[in-house]
Amino acid sequence: MNTAITAYRPGLLGRTVFDDVFEHVFTDFPAHLRQSTQGYPVADIYRNDTGSTVLEFALAGFSREQLNIDVLTEDGSITVTGEASTDDESAGRRIARRSFKKTYVDFDRNLDLSAVTAYFENGLLTVTVPQRPEVQPLKVEIG
């Protein structure tokens, strides 16, 4: 009996996830997989009803001015950066907040990086990346 194994992966992967998994695949794979899926800030990546890829980041305590999103269309990457302030006012806060930089890569080249939108409200950053029109499925009417 021949059994086929099918693996699915999201269209956008964090650059460190990809590098860490393949760099250490022959050493201690379970430990590196756990390490690559942990991190700050907490992020969720999913595909919405329209086929767009959505990245959501839980960023309590950050302001819009402390966040930056860089899109490199030639590299097919999106980098989200947060700079935590070090002033005296934020030193008394108990919210765990630190600077971060997360890069995600469109390895399949099926996303329209020129049409990225972002929205920040109540500590939740939502970045939406639509599919390129030529890769969206077409509905064919049967006559």
Side-chain angles (χ1 to χ4, degrees), residues 81-132:
T81 309
E83 291 295 327
S85 64
T86 58
D87 61 2
D88 292 334
E89 180 184 328
S90 64
R93 291 187 174 180
R94 296 195 182 267
I95 296 174
R97 181 172 52 132
R98 56 189 177 269
S99 296
F100 68 90
K101 181 177 181 179
K102 294 273 194 166
T103 300
Y104 299 90
V105 179
D106 178 19
F107 288 108
D108 296 334
R109 301 285 186 182
N110 63 354
L111 299 175
D112 186 0
L113 295 179
S114 64
V116 173
T117 59
Y119 186 71
F120 184 69
E121 183 178 31
N122 297 328
L124 182 67
L125 174 64
T126 304
V127 179
T128 305
V129 188
Q131 281 187 331
R132 290 192 341 235

Side-chain angles (χ1 to χ4, degrees), residues 17-33:
V17 171
F18 189 77
D19 293 342
D20 287 348
V21 168
F22 286 97
E23 181 180 341
H24 303 290
V25 72
F26 297 109
T27 56
D28 187 10
F29 183 75
H32 289 289
L33 185 59

Side-chain angles (χ1 to χ4, degrees), residues 45-73:
I45 303 174
Y46 62 92
R47 189 168 298 217
N48 66 12
D49 295 338
T50 65
S52 297
T53 297
V54 179
L55 298 94
E56 290 182 333
F57 299 88
L59 299 171
F62 279 89
S63 68
R64 181 175 282 120
E65 293 77 24
Q66 294 172 309
L67 302 174
N68 191 36
I69 301 170
D70 294 313
V71 178
L72 296 173
T73 54

